[in-house]
């Protein structure tokens, strides 16, 4: 009985050490070089989801914000050559601020958990939000 308990404690410890290593390893993850708004230790999976969200909510593809390296024929995701990328950083901060300041009714919840307002709220799958329609003639 006692040995069983000891083994259980040991197993938990081993798992904790592994999680510990994973947790320590993540911040040193140098996969992403130029994150200014998103957390620098974000997982590749979470970043992918956010980027896919941008394309859906704005009705664009990756190259709308990310400049192409003509020689290598790849997108330079860490470069800031397109103004759309910097505008997007401002839009990300604004959207988080709106959620935090006007929709966060419970202090235990963070702005990105609220997501009452998203890019889609204004953009509706368009890169430029719709203009106000002409007034209806009576
Ligand atoms: C509406 C604009 C927009 C679109 C569309 C977009 N991205 Fe991004 N992407 C950004 C911004 C802004 C950042 C930097 C975020 C920051 O500073 O925290 C970024 C960062 C990244 C990074 C991290 C680069 C680094 O090393 O710092 C990768 C990788 C990336 N995007 C991939 C993609 C892929 C793949 C797609 C298409 C599925 C995509 N992005 C679509 C705006 C966009
Ligand atoms: C509260 C409404 C609102 C929200 C939320 C919003 N946007 Fe915008 N966005 C706008 C408006 C309005 C413009 C046009 C501004 C202008 O014409 O100067 C714009 C412009 C942009 C542009 C530049 C378009 C161009 O062709 O110049 C990008 C890129 C963009 N938004 C990305 C985003 C992303 C990504 C999000 C979510 C993180 C977002 N926006 C959230 C209202 C919003």
């Amino acid at each position: 009985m006692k040995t069983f308990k000891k083994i259980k404690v040991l197993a938990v410890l081993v798992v904790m050490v592994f999680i510990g290593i994973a947790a320590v390893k993540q911040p040193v993850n140098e996969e992403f070089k130029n994150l200014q708004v998103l957390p620098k230790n974000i997982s590749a999976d979470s970043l992918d989801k956010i980027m896919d969200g941008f394309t859906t909510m704005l009705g664009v593809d990756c190259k709308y914000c990310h400049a192409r390296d003509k020689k290598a024929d790849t997108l330079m995701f860490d470069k800031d050559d397109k103004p759309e990328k910097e505008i997007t950083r401002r839009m990300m901060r604004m959207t988080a601020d709106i959620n935090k300041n006007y929709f966060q009714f419970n202090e235990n919840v963070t702005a990105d958990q609220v997501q009452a307002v998203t890019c889609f709220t204004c953009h509706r799958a368009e890169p430029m939000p719709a203009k106000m329609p002409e007034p209806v003639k009576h």
Side-chain angles (χ1 to χ4, degrees):
M1 195 60 203
K2 250 191 164 174
T3 351
F4 182 61
K5 243 189 180 167
K6 264 189 188 161
I7 290 170
K8 250 173 92 177
V9 168
L10 200 72
V12 169
L13 270 177
V14 167
V15 169
M16 272 166 59
V17 168
F18 273 120
I19 295 172
I21 290 169
V24 171
K25 269 208 164 155
Q26 260 206 340
V28 211
N29 167 3
E30 279 168 13
E31 193 174 353
F32 307 124
K33 297 184 191 73
N34 186 16
L35 297 182
Q36 298 172 26
V37 181
L38 296 170
K40 292 199 197 317
N41 64 346
I42 192 169
S43 72
D45 200 44
S46 303
L47 186 114
D48 280 355
K49 286 206 180 93
I50 290 168
M51 295 301 145
D52 285 344
F54 288 165
T55 63
T56 310
M57 292 189 286
L58 267 65
V60 297
D61 53 17
C62 311
K63 65 178 186 295
Y64 177 74
C65 295
H66 294 291
R68 181 173 293 277
D69 180 339
K70 291 200 181 79
K71 266 194 191 151
D73 197 28
T74 51
L75 295 182
M76 304 176 287
F77 292 115
D78 57 326
K79 295 286 187 307
D80 290 348
D81 295 20
K82 295 203 72 186
E84 286 81 0
K85 190 177 175 191
E86 193 53 44
I87 295 174
T88 291
R89 288 198 174 105
R90 294 173 60 173
M91 292 276 157
M92 290 165 81
R93 293 191 181 104
M94 171 193 69
T95 306
D97 283 354
I98 295 174
N99 286 321
K100 188 163 164 265
N101 296 328
Y102 300 100
F103 291 98
Q104 193 175 324
F105 306 119
N106 180 342
E107 60 182 28
N108 299 319
V109 176
T110 62
D112 47 297
Q113 287 170 317
V114 178
Q115 300 235 351
V117 172
T118 68
C119 318
F120 189 72
T121 308
C122 300
H123 283 266
R124 300 276 147 189
E126 297 288 345
M128 191 57 104
K131 286 216 174 69
M132 186 127 90
E134 291 295 316
V136 178
K137 291 204 172 73
H138 296 286

